[in-house]
Amino acid sequence: LIRHAKATHNRYDEKAVFAGGRVDSDLTAEGEGEAREMGRLLKDKDIKVIVHSPLKRSKHTAQIIKSEISDKADVEMVECEYIREVGVGEFTDKTREEIIKIYPKELENFLQGDVEKWNFPGGESFSELKLRVARVIEALKKVARQGGVLVVGHGMFNRVILSIIAPSEEDLWKPTSYPHDKI
């Protein structure tokens, strides 16, 4: 399970905005380099299937990784709608400073890292996310019969899936700054 490489909306400054499932940005030049490096790191793994979301940043990351690893074997690409980033509703395209003025309690719940308390006004609830994650896990069980599976997900989505499959490992899913280059 990895997060897509750095996309045009991903910044770590005061102008960074929440993207969520509605924003379909592509990778930056730096992100393309990150994806190539990730592919080189994964070259010796037994990856038969790369599952990605329909969002450009996930799909492009998966394509670059495939180009780095596919010389050893044919790697299948599978697009999965359920891996789409969390719908953050009214948080979309807003900075933290803008959200704190409008939805301070909801932003605090997000920043505390407890995914079960997320409340994105106009967005997905945790129970909706949990259903989506369950669908992904079931689909991955079927795909995994073919061999190793790489999932190219999204920061918040990955945090939710990790909170469900590894609830005691909070260091995997609680941080709000989820890296682009971590398996």
Side-chain angles (χ1 to χ4, degrees), residues 109-137:
N109 283 341
F110 171 74
L111 294 175
Q112 287 177 359
D114 187 347
V115 296
E116 291 186 13
K117 292 182 182 175
W118 281 356
N119 175 21
F120 298 111
E124 287 182 278
S125 68
F126 180 74
S127 59
E128 291 167 327
L129 292 172
K130 199 170 181 179
L131 284 173
R132 199 156 50 99
V133 167
R135 290 180 184 125
V136 169
I137 291 169

Side-chain angles (χ1 to χ4, degrees), residues 58 86 136 178-179:
S58 174
V86 174
V136 169
Y178 200 82

Side-chain angles (χ1 to χ4, degrees), residues 81 94 135 146 180 183:
E81 173 66 31
K94 291 182 176 66
R135 290 180 184 125
Q146 299 174 38
H180 292 94
I183 299 172

Side-chain angles (χ1 to χ4, degrees), residues 34 37 43 48 54 59 71 112 132 153 156 164-165 179:
E34 290 172 344
E37 178 61 26
K43 195 167 185 76
K48 301 290 186 207
K59 188 173 191 172
D71 64 322
Q112 287 177 359
R132 199 156 50 99
M156 289 190 278
I164 292 168
I165 64 174

Side-chain angles (χ1 to χ4, degrees), residues 28 72 84 144:
T28 62
K72 66 178 181 163
R84 176 183 290 273

Side-chain angles (χ1 to χ4, degrees), residues 62-76:
Q63 290 168 334
I64 292 171
I65 290 172
K66 178 182 177 179
S67 73
E68 292 292 328
I69 66 173
S70 64
D71 64 322
K72 66 178 181 163
D74 192 28
V75 176
E76 182 183 358

